[in-house]
Amino acid sequence: MLQLFSVLLLIVIAIILFALASMQRRQAGIPAGRVIYSDASQWGKVEKPLYDPNLRLTGKPDYLVKQGSQVIPVEVKSRRAPPSPHDSHIYQLATYCLLVAHEYRNRPAYGILHYNDKTFAVDFTTELESAIQAVIREMQTRTARTQVDRSHEDGRRCQNCSYRSVCDQSLRI
């Protein structure tokens, strides 16, 4: 009788843990699939950035989720959602799509932008790919002409920046 009770208790605990994990996954905006990369430092060691030497581009998406043969980048924003995603957020996500395509040799069909109260699936169209590549080329051309300092107009952004420990322009708040 005691063994039966122990088994039932373990099953109930497993169901509760599974439900809690599913709820946390939905709240984080992570789609179904296996999380293969996480830049959420509270989950453990920080992953190495994705890198494309041809584009001279480095980035760290919040999550990468494997769905079948697809790897989907997920970017989590801590604020409430605008009516539609800001262009800068779309371009950031598109950059991660480029990095995923290079790193995993498989172009993602879309990426996910998750805000506190809403999630957007952003199609990684050829038009978006061309637009982000043009922005990258322009940024690299400007950077090649002069040294561009980081923007430190918002101390909170500097304080929460993942490069703060190695930045020679950190505000050291």
Side-chain angles (χ1 to χ4, degrees):
M1 185 67 169
L2 185 59
Q3 281 184 326
L4 179 61
F5 177 73
S6 297
V7 170
L8 288 174
L9 182 62
L10 287 175
I11 291 172
V12 168
I13 290 171
I15 291 170
I16 290 170
L17 290 175
F18 181 77
L20 286 173
S22 295
M23 184 176 70
Q24 286 179 328
R25 187 181 189 102
R26 279 192 308 278
Q27 287 174 341
I30 300 172
R34 187 168 55 97
V35 175
I36 60 171
Y37 180 103
S38 172
D39 189 33
S41 58
Q42 68 267 22
W43 282 26
K45 76 172 187 71
V46 176
E47 298 281 349
K48 72 178 181 99
L50 303 179
Y51 178 64
D52 184 338
N54 299 325
L55 292 173
R56 297 185 335 239
L57 189 63
T58 302
K60 294 167 63 174
D62 290 324
Y63 301 99
L64 294 178
V65 177
K66 187 158 180 68
Q67 293 180 327
S69 64
Q70 288 276 297
V71 175
I72 309 301
V74 179
E75 180 60 22
V76 178
K77 300 298 181 185
S78 60
R79 62 182 79 155
R80 293 179 52 82
S84 62
H86 297 297
D87 287 345
S88 61
H89 294 171
I90 292 171
Y91 284 165
Q92 180 184 11
L93 187 62
T95 300
Y96 295 146
C97 287
L98 284 175
L99 289 168
V100 164
H102 173 77
E103 187 80 20
Y104 295 93
R105 305 287 186 249
N106 193 347
R107 186 179 188 282
Y110 67 99
I112 301 285
L113 273 173
H114 176 72
Y115 296 88
N116 271 347
D117 57 340
K118 192 172 185 180
T119 300
F120 296 93
V122 178
D123 291 335
F124 188 49
T125 63
T126 54
E127 294 82 11
L128 179 55
E129 182 175 6
S130 296
I132 191 59
Q133 287 177 335
V135 168
I136 291 167
R137 280 192 302 273
E138 182 178 338
M139 289 171 62
Q140 289 173 341
T141 300
R142 286 184 183 193
T143 303
R145 283 185 277 169
T146 61
Q147 177 62 35
V148 177
D149 290 337
R150 291 173 180 85
S151 170
H152 287 97
E153 295 171 12
D154 183 352
R156 290 174 296 150
R157 288 187 74 184
C158 182
Q159 186 176 7
N160 296 322
C161 178
S162 60
Y163 295 99
R164 183 170 178 233
S165 65
V166 296
C167 178
D168 61 353
Q169 298 173 8
S170 171
L171 295 178
R172 303 288 180 213
I173 296 173

PDB file of all heavy atoms in Angstrom, residues 16 42-43 45 47 55 64 66-67 69 74 78 80 83-84 87 90 109-110 115-116 118 136 160 167 173:
ATOM      1  N   ILE A  16       2.780  18.070 -11.845  1.00  0.00           N
ATOM      2  CA  ILE A  16       2.848  19.465 -11.388  1.00  0.00           C
ATOM      3  C   ILE A  16       4.096  20.148 -11.949  1.00  0.00           C
ATOM      4  O   ILE A  16       4.019  21.269 -12.454  1.00  0.00           O
ATOM      5  CB  ILE A  16       2.820  19.532  -9.845  1.00  0.00           C
ATOM      6  CG1 ILE A  16       1.431  19.139  -9.334  1.00  0.00           C
ATOM      7  CG2 ILE A  16       3.194  20.927  -9.345  1.00  0.00           C
ATOM      8  CD1 ILE A  16       1.350  18.943  -7.828  1.00  0.00           C
ATOM      9  N   GLN A  42      20.523  33.291 -15.867  1.00  0.00           N
ATOM     10  CA  GLN A  42      20.026  32.579 -14.692  1.00  0.00           C
ATOM     11  C   GLN A  42      19.853  31.094 -14.969  1.00  0.00           C
ATOM     12  O   GLN A  42      19.643  30.319 -14.052  1.00  0.00           O
ATOM     13  CB  GLN A  42      18.713  33.193 -14.161  1.00  0.00           C
ATOM     14  CG  GLN A  42      17.523  33.027 -15.062  1.00  0.00           C
ATOM     15  CD  GLN A  42      17.332  34.203 -16.007  1.00  0.00           C
ATOM     16  OE1 GLN A  42      18.254  34.940 -16.294  1.00  0.00           O
ATOM     17  NE2 GLN A  42      16.125  34.375 -16.505  1.00  0.00           N
ATOM     18  N   TRP A  43      19.939  30.666 -16.234  1.00  0.00           N
ATOM     19  CA  TRP A  43      19.801  29.254 -16.570  1.00  0.00           C
ATOM     20  C   TRP A  43      21.134  28.507 -16.464  1.00  0.00           C
ATOM     21  O   TRP A  43      21.202  27.328 -16.673  1.00  0.00           O
ATOM     22  CB  TRP A  43      19.252  29.100 -17.979  1.00  0.00           C
ATOM     23  CG  TRP A  43      17.785  29.323 -18.068  1.00  0.00           C
ATOM     24  CD1 TRP A  43      17.016  30.083 -17.251  1.00  0.00           C
ATOM     25  CD2 TRP A  43      16.909  28.785 -19.034  1.00  0.00           C
ATOM     26  NE1 TRP A  43      15.720  30.056 -17.658  1.00  0.00           N
ATOM     27  CE2 TRP A  43      15.627  29.263 -18.755  1.00  0.00           C
ATOM     28  CE3 TRP A  43      17.083  27.954 -20.118  1.00  0.00           C
ATOM     29  CZ2 TRP A  43      14.523  28.929 -19.518  1.00  0.00           C
ATOM     30  CZ3 TRP A  43      15.984  27.623 -20.885  1.00  0.00           C
ATOM     31  CH2 TRP A  43      14.716  28.100 -20.575  1.00  0.00           C
ATOM     32  N   LYS A  45      25.546  28.647 -17.413  1.00  0.00           N
ATOM     33  CA  LYS A  45      26.628  29.337 -18.104  1.00  0.00           C
ATOM     34  C   LYS A  45      26.101  30.056 -19.345  1.00  0.00           C
ATOM     35  O   LYS A  45      25.161  29.612 -19.990  1.00  0.00           O
ATOM     36  CB  LYS A  45      27.739  28.359 -18.473  1.00  0.00           C
ATOM     37  CG  LYS A  45      27.445  27.463 -19.661  1.00  0.00           C
ATOM     38  CD  LYS A  45      28.678  26.676 -20.042  1.00  0.00           C
ATOM     39  CE  LYS A  45      28.467  25.898 -21.309  1.00  0.00           C
ATOM     40  NZ  LYS A  45      28.383  26.667 -22.513  1.00  0.00           N
ATOM     41  N   GLU A  47      26.096  31.207 -23.055  1.00  0.00           N
ATOM     42  CA  GLU A  47      26.518  30.604 -24.319  1.00  0.00           C
ATOM     43  C   GLU A  47      27.461  31.543 -25.067  1.00  0.00           C
ATOM     44  O   GLU A  47      27.405  32.752 -24.910  1.00  0.00           O
ATOM     45  CB  GLU A  47      25.295  30.340 -25.203  1.00  0.00           C
ATOM     46  CG  GLU A  47      24.299  29.378 -24.604  1.00  0.00           C
ATOM     47  CD  GLU A  47      24.700  27.931 -24.729  1.00  0.00           C
ATOM     48  OE1 GLU A  47      25.656  27.609 -25.457  1.00  0.00           O
ATOM     49  OE2 GLU A  47      24.058  27.098 -24.082  1.00  0.00           O
ATOM     50  N   LEU A  55      30.109  38.287 -42.726  1.00  0.00           N
ATOM     51  CA  LEU A  55      29.379  39.527 -42.445  1.00  0.00           C
ATOM     52  C   LEU A  55      30.058  40.349 -41.346  1.00  0.00           C
ATOM     53  O   LEU A  55      29.629  41.452 -41.064  1.00  0.00           O
ATOM     54  CB  LEU A  55      27.940  39.210 -42.015  1.00  0.00           C
ATOM     55  CG  LEU A  55      27.029  38.627 -43.076  1.00  0.00           C
ATOM     56  CD1 LEU A  55      25.695  38.204 -42.461  1.00  0.00           C
ATOM     57  CD2 LEU A  55      26.808  39.635 -44.197  1.00  0.00           C
ATOM     58  N   LEU A  64      17.459  29.946 -28.748  1.00  0.00           N
ATOM     59  CA  LEU A  64      17.309  29.261 -30.028  1.00  0.00           C
ATOM     60  C   LEU A  64      16.529  27.989 -29.740  1.00  0.00           C
ATOM     61  O   LEU A  64      16.863  27.242 -28.814  1.00  0.00           O
ATOM     62  CB  LEU A  64      18.658  28.907 -30.649  1.00  0.00           C
ATOM     63  CG  LEU A  64      19.543  30.069 -31.090  1.00  0.00           C
ATOM     64  CD1 LEU A  64      20.871  29.550 -31.647  1.00  0.00           C
ATOM     65  CD2 LEU A  64      18.835  30.937 -32.115  1.00  0.00           C
ATOM     66  N   LYS A  66      14.972  24.479 -31.429  1.00  0.00           N
ATOM     67  CA  LYS A  66      15.009  23.556 -32.570  1.00  0.00           C
ATOM     68  C   LYS A  66      13.631  22.945 -32.743  1.00  0.00           C
ATOM     69  O   LYS A  66      13.091  22.340 -31.818  1.00  0.00           O
ATOM     70  CB  LYS A  66      16.057  22.476 -32.340  1.00  0.00           C
ATOM     71  CG  LYS A  66      16.273  21.595 -33.553  1.00  0.00           C
ATOM     72  CD  LYS A  66      17.628  20.927 -33.468  1.00  0.00           C
ATOM     73  CE  LYS A  66      17.912  20.044 -34.650  1.00  0.00           C
ATOM     74  NZ  LYS A  66      18.089  20.735 -35.900  1.00  0.00           N
ATOM     75  N   GLN A  67      13.071  23.138 -33.938  1.00  0.00           N
ATOM     76  CA  GLN A  67      11.776  22.559 -34.312  1.00  0.00           C
ATOM     77  C   GLN A  67      12.005  21.740 -35.569  1.00  0.00           C
ATOM     78  O   GLN A  67      12.085  22.302 -36.658  1.00  0.00           O
ATOM     79  CB  GLN A  67      10.742  23.648 -34.596  1.00  0.00           C
ATOM     80  CG  GLN A  67      10.339  24.464 -33.412  1.00  0.00           C
ATOM     81  CD  GLN A  67       9.314  25.525 -33.788  1.00  0.00           C
ATOM     82  OE1 GLN A  67       9.321  26.070 -34.882  1.00  0.00           O
ATOM     83  NE2 GLN A  67       8.420  25.815 -32.859  1.00  0.00           N
ATOM     84  N   SER A  69      13.923  20.371 -38.363  1.00  0.00           N
ATOM     85  CA  SER A  69      15.212  20.784 -38.922  1.00  0.00           C
ATOM     86  C   SER A  69      15.443  22.295 -38.788  1.00  0.00           C
ATOM     87  O   SER A  69      16.515  22.782 -39.094  1.00  0.00           O
ATOM     88  CB  SER A  69      15.288  20.382 -40.403  1.00  0.00           C
ATOM     89  OG  SER A  69      14.305  21.093 -41.135  1.00  0.00           O
ATOM     90  N   VAL A  74      14.673  33.426 -30.776  1.00  0.00           N
ATOM     91  CA  VAL A  74      13.653  34.066 -29.948  1.00  0.00           C
ATOM     92  C   VAL A  74      14.308  35.230 -29.226  1.00  0.00           C
ATOM     93  O   VAL A  74      15.327  35.052 -28.551  1.00  0.00           O
ATOM     94  CB  VAL A  74      13.062  33.081 -28.914  1.00  0.00           C
ATOM     95  CG1 VAL A  74      12.025  33.781 -28.037  1.00  0.00           C
ATOM     96  CG2 VAL A  74      12.461  31.865 -29.608  1.00  0.00           C
ATOM     97  N   SER A  78      11.537  43.127 -22.389  1.00  0.00           N
ATOM     98  CA  SER A  78      10.956  43.214 -21.052  1.00  0.00           C
ATOM     99  C   SER A  78       9.801  44.201 -20.943  1.00  0.00           C
ATOM    100  O   SER A  78       9.166  44.290 -19.912  1.00  0.00           O
ATOM    101  CB  SER A  78      12.043  43.597 -20.043  1.00  0.00           C
ATOM    102  OG  SER A  78      12.607  44.844 -20.385  1.00  0.00           O
ATOM    103  N   ARG A  80       6.104  46.201 -22.430  1.00  0.00           N
ATOM    104  CA  ARG A  80       4.829  45.874 -23.069  1.00  0.00           C
ATOM    105  C   ARG A  80       4.969  46.005 -24.581  1.00  0.00           C
ATOM    106  O   ARG A  80       5.768  46.798 -25.068  1.00  0.00           O
ATOM    107  CB  ARG A  80       3.728  46.806 -22.555  1.00  0.00           C
ATOM    108  CG  ARG A  80       3.397  46.573 -21.080  1.00  0.00           C
ATOM    109  CD  ARG A  80       2.333  47.514 -20.565  1.00  0.00           C
ATOM    110  NE  ARG A  80       1.114  47.551 -21.364  1.00  0.00           N
ATOM    111  CZ  ARG A  80       0.119  46.675 -21.282  1.00  0.00           C
ATOM    112  NH1 ARG A  80       0.193  45.686 -20.420  1.00  0.00           N
ATOM    113  NH2 ARG A  80      -0.947  46.804 -22.034  1.00  0.00           N
ATOM    114  N   PRO A  83       1.891  48.288 -30.763  1.00  0.00           N
ATOM    115  CA  PRO A  83       0.872  47.717 -31.668  1.00  0.00           C
ATOM    116  C   PRO A  83       1.480  46.770 -32.708  1.00  0.00           C
ATOM    117  O   PRO A  83       0.894  45.753 -33.064  1.00  0.00           O
ATOM    118  CB  PRO A  83       0.248  48.944 -32.331  1.00  0.00           C
ATOM    119  CG  PRO A  83       0.510  50.068 -31.366  1.00  0.00           C
ATOM    120  CD  PRO A  83       1.813  49.744 -30.697  1.00  0.00           C
ATOM    121  N   SER A  84       2.667  47.119 -33.182  1.00  0.00           N
ATOM    122  CA  SER A  84       3.437  46.225 -34.052  1.00  0.00           C
ATOM    123  C   SER A  84       4.900  46.391 -33.646  1.00  0.00           C
ATOM    124  O   SER A  84       5.282  47.432 -33.110  1.00  0.00           O
ATOM    125  CB  SER A  84       3.225  46.565 -35.531  1.00  0.00           C
ATOM    126  OG  SER A  84       3.670  47.868 -35.811  1.00  0.00           O
ATOM    127  N   ASP A  87      10.832  48.642 -35.775  1.00  0.00           N
ATOM    128  CA  ASP A  87      11.768  48.219 -36.824  1.00  0.00           C
ATOM    129  C   ASP A  87      13.091  47.742 -36.233  1.00  0.00           C
ATOM    130  O   ASP A  87      13.663  46.754 -36.699  1.00  0.00           O
ATOM    131  CB  ASP A  87      12.029  49.359 -37.809  1.00  0.00           C
ATOM    132  CG  ASP A  87      10.847  49.624 -38.728  1.00  0.00           C
ATOM    133  OD1 ASP A  87       9.935  48.767 -38.809  1.00  0.00           O
ATOM    134  OD2 ASP A  87      10.838  50.688 -39.380  1.00  0.00           O
ATOM    135  N   ILE A  90      12.736  44.243 -35.094  1.00  0.00           N
ATOM    136  CA  ILE A  90      12.648  43.339 -36.253  1.00  0.00           C
ATOM    137  C   ILE A  90      14.034  43.130 -36.855  1.00  0.00           C
ATOM    138  O   ILE A  90      14.422  42.006 -37.174  1.00  0.00           O
ATOM    139  CB  ILE A  90      11.654  43.882 -37.304  1.00  0.00           C
ATOM    140  CG1 ILE A  90      10.226  43.823 -36.745  1.00  0.00           C
ATOM    141  CG2 ILE A  90      11.766  43.108 -38.614  1.00  0.00           C
ATOM    142  CD1 ILE A  90       9.189  44.518 -37.607  1.00  0.00           C
ATOM    143  N   ALA A 109      12.745  30.112 -41.165  1.00  0.00           N
ATOM    144  CA  ALA A 109      11.608  30.701 -41.875  1.00  0.00           C
ATOM    145  C   ALA A 109      11.073  31.926 -41.137  1.00  0.00           C
ATOM    146  O   ALA A 109      10.486  32.822 -41.748  1.00  0.00           O
ATOM    147  CB  ALA A 109      10.493  29.679 -42.040  1.00  0.00           C
ATOM    148  N   TYR A 110      11.309  31.965 -39.826  1.00  0.00           N
ATOM    149  CA  TYR A 110      10.801  33.075 -39.020  1.00  0.00           C
ATOM    150  C   TYR A 110      11.565  33.138 -37.705  1.00  0.00           C
ATOM    151  O   TYR A 110      12.369  32.251 -37.379  1.00  0.00           O
ATOM    152  CB  TYR A 110       9.302  32.903 -38.731  1.00  0.00           C
ATOM    153  CG  TYR A 110       8.973  31.739 -37.828  1.00  0.00           C
ATOM    154  CD1 TYR A 110       8.737  31.934 -36.469  1.00  0.00           C
ATOM    155  CD2 TYR A 110       8.904  30.441 -38.320  1.00  0.00           C
ATOM    156  CE1 TYR A 110       8.447  30.862 -35.636  1.00  0.00           C
ATOM    157  CE2 TYR A 110       8.613  29.371 -37.497  1.00  0.00           C
ATOM    158  CZ  TYR A 110       8.389  29.592 -36.156  1.00  0.00           C
ATOM    159  OH  TYR A 110       8.104  28.529 -35.328  1.00  0.00           O
ATOM    160  N   TYR A 115       7.184  40.045 -26.124  1.00  0.00           N
ATOM    161  CA  TYR A 115       7.066  41.155 -25.178  1.00  0.00           C
ATOM    162  C   TYR A 115       6.319  40.639 -23.950  1.00  0.00           C
ATOM    163  O   TYR A 115       5.820  39.517 -23.941  1.00  0.00           O
ATOM    164  CB  TYR A 115       6.299  42.314 -25.813  1.00  0.00           C
ATOM    165  CG  TYR A 115       6.998  42.920 -26.996  1.00  0.00           C
ATOM    166  CD1 TYR A 115       6.817  42.417 -28.280  1.00  0.00           C
ATOM    167  CD2 TYR A 115       7.843  44.011 -26.847  1.00  0.00           C
ATOM    168  CE1 TYR A 115       7.455  42.971 -29.376  1.00  0.00           C
ATOM    169  CE2 TYR A 115       8.485  44.576 -27.938  1.00  0.00           C
ATOM    170  CZ  TYR A 115       8.290  44.058 -29.202  1.00  0.00           C
ATOM    171  OH  TYR A 115       8.924  44.608 -30.275  1.00  0.00           O
ATOM    172  N   ASN A 116       6.235  41.452 -22.910  1.00  0.00           N
ATOM    173  CA  ASN A 116       5.550  41.028 -21.681  1.00  0.00           C
ATOM    174  C   ASN A 116       4.132  40.530 -21.922  1.00  0.00           C
ATOM    175  O   ASN A 116       3.683  39.596 -21.261  1.00  0.00           O
ATOM    176  CB  ASN A 116       5.480  42.197 -20.687  1.00  0.00           C
ATOM    177  CG  ASN A 116       6.685  42.234 -19.798  1.00  0.00           C
ATOM    178  OD1 ASN A 116       7.458  41.299 -19.739  1.00  0.00           O
ATOM    179  ND2 ASN A 116       6.856  43.330 -19.091  1.00  0.00           N
ATOM    180  N   LYS A 118       2.590  40.158 -25.273  1.00  0.00           N
ATOM    181  CA  LYS A 118       2.245  39.731 -26.627  1.00  0.00           C
ATOM    182  C   LYS A 118       3.475  39.142 -27.314  1.00  0.00           C
ATOM    183  O   LYS A 118       4.592  39.563 -27.056  1.00  0.00           O
ATOM    184  CB  LYS A 118       1.714  40.933 -27.424  1.00  0.00           C
ATOM    185  CG  LYS A 118       1.072  40.582 -28.725  1.00  0.00           C
ATOM    186  CD  LYS A 118       0.407  41.814 -29.332  1.00  0.00           C
ATOM    187  CE  LYS A 118      -0.354  41.451 -30.582  1.00  0.00           C
ATOM    188  NZ  LYS A 118      -0.997  42.607 -31.198  1.00  0.00           N
ATOM    189  N   ILE A 136      23.469  46.381 -42.326  1.00  0.00           N
ATOM    190  CA  ILE A 136      24.767  45.908 -41.825  1.00  0.00           C
ATOM    191  C   ILE A 136      25.903  46.511 -42.649  1.00  0.00           C
ATOM    192  O   ILE A 136      26.892  47.009 -42.101  1.00  0.00           O
ATOM    193  CB  ILE A 136      24.828  44.365 -41.821  1.00  0.00           C
ATOM    194  CG1 ILE A 136      23.879  43.806 -40.762  1.00  0.00           C
ATOM    195  CG2 ILE A 136      26.259  43.869 -41.587  1.00  0.00           C
ATOM    196  CD1 ILE A 136      23.622  42.314 -40.881  1.00  0.00           C
ATOM    197  N   ASN A 160      22.750  47.106 -17.749  1.00  0.00           N
ATOM    198  CA  ASN A 160      22.251  45.772 -18.082  1.00  0.00           C
ATOM    199  C   ASN A 160      22.916  45.153 -19.306  1.00  0.00           C
ATOM    200  O   ASN A 160      22.539  44.074 -19.730  1.00  0.00           O
ATOM    201  CB  ASN A 160      20.734  45.824 -18.284  1.00  0.00           C
ATOM    202  CG  ASN A 160      20.018  46.194 -17.006  1.00  0.00           C
ATOM    203  OD1 ASN A 160      20.411  45.768 -15.936  1.00  0.00           O
ATOM    204  ND2 ASN A 160      18.988  47.009 -17.113  1.00  0.00           N
ATOM    205  N   CYS A 167      33.748  46.354 -21.636  1.00  0.00           N
ATOM    206  CA  CYS A 167      33.598  47.607 -22.393  1.00  0.00           C
ATOM    207  C   CYS A 167      34.526  48.675 -21.823  1.00  0.00           C
ATOM    208  O   CYS A 167      34.511  48.943 -20.616  1.00  0.00           O
ATOM    209  CB  CYS A 167      32.128  48.077 -22.303  1.00  0.00           C
ATOM    210  SG  CYS A 167      31.834  49.641 -23.153  1.00  0.00           S
ATOM    211  N   ILE A 173      28.224  52.107 -13.504  1.00  0.00           N
ATOM    212  CA  ILE A 173      27.180  52.509 -12.554  1.00  0.00           C
ATOM    213  C   ILE A 173      27.099  51.526 -11.424  1.00  0.00           C
ATOM    214  O   ILE A 173      27.142  50.363 -11.587  1.00  0.00           O
ATOM    215  CB  ILE A 173      25.812  52.636 -13.282  1.00  0.00           C
ATOM    216  CG1 ILE A 173      25.917  53.739 -14.299  1.00  0.00           C
ATOM    217  CG2 ILE A 173      24.696  52.877 -12.300  1.00  0.00           C
ATOM    218  CD1 ILE A 173      24.699  53.850 -15.184  1.00  0.00           C
TER     219      ILE A 173
END
